[in-house]
Amino acid sequence: MRGQPAAGRAAPPRDDAIRLLARREYSRAELGERLSARGHEASEVQACLDDLAEQGLQSDARFAESFLRSRIARGQGPLKIRAELERRGLDREGIRAAFAASEEAGEADWFALACDTLSRRFPGPGDTPRERARRERFLAGRGFDFDQLRHALAHAWTSDD
């Protein structure tokens, strides 16, 4: 069969990497972990990752932008998204650049997103302290900071926001 390695031989790391990248974007660290888990030598993996980045096939900046957009669409806040990007191996400067690009493009209005996320999940602000605390925990768990949380609790169900 064409494109398949001969029996007993593993595919080169580049082939595995291309297959993975064809499905979705990966951070460099994630892709390295996947390739290492498939049994490729560390030196081969690093050389492959360097080549892919040089050719523009793998980009941490592109991964961060794509990841950020998808998490905003899910209604997740900046704290949770930032932590997840760090967990996936992106450096703080790359994360900061992705957030800046997103805010510059008008994709990330965290206060409006917090309001929208809260109003979709709950029908109103809650009548008791226990219900309000539940709404606060919900937004905090989604990764919104204190100011965004307070803003959402005050404005989520008003018609002007």
Side-chain angles (χ1 to χ4, degrees):
M1 261 192 259
R2 214 169 158 207
Q4 296 294 324
R9 270 189 21 208
R14 180 179 171 81
D15 290 353
D16 285 342
I18 296 294
R19 261 194 234 66
L20 289 167
L21 288 168
R23 286 185 240 144
R24 73 169 177 90
E25 293 283 345
Y26 282 87
S27 69
R28 181 182 176 99
E30 261 185 319
L31 194 55
E33 289 171 11
R34 294 275 182 128
L35 293 174
S36 294
R38 290 183 181 211
H40 297 291
E41 295 293 323
S43 60
E44 288 179 327
V45 169
Q46 290 308 313
C48 175
L49 294 174
D50 290 341
D51 288 344
L52 291 170
E54 188 177 300
Q55 295 167 5
L57 297 173
Q58 188 282 322
S59 165
D60 277 351
R62 196 171 55 230
F63 168 76
E65 290 170 10
S66 170
F67 187 86
L68 186 57
R69 258 193 310 281
S70 75
R71 292 315 193 257
I72 288 171
R74 289 183 185 182
Q76 293 181 355
L79 301 177
K80 186 170 187 169
I81 296 170
R82 187 171 278 117
E84 186 66 19
L85 285 170
E86 285 179 6
R87 190 181 73 72
R88 290 172 183 256
L90 269 73
D91 63 350
R92 290 179 191 249
E93 187 54 41
I95 294 170
R96 198 177 353 259
F99 271 82
S102 179
E103 289 167 3
E104 204 174 283
E107 296 172 348
D109 180 350
W110 301 112
F111 290 93
L113 183 61
C115 289
D116 185 52
T117 301
L118 186 62
S119 66
R120 286 177 189 238
R121 176 71 167 85
F122 295 99
D127 298 330
T128 66
R130 183 178 180 164
E131 289 176 3
R132 284 188 293 278
R134 186 169 169 230
R135 285 149 178 78
E136 289 175 9
R137 282 192 307 275
F138 170 74
L139 284 177
R142 283 291 184 104
F144 292 99
D145 69 23
F146 183 77
D147 292 334
Q148 294 156 356
L149 189 146
R150 287 291 171 206
H151 176 82
L153 288 171
H155 298 96
W157 299 277
T158 59
S159 60
D160 63 338
D161 198 50

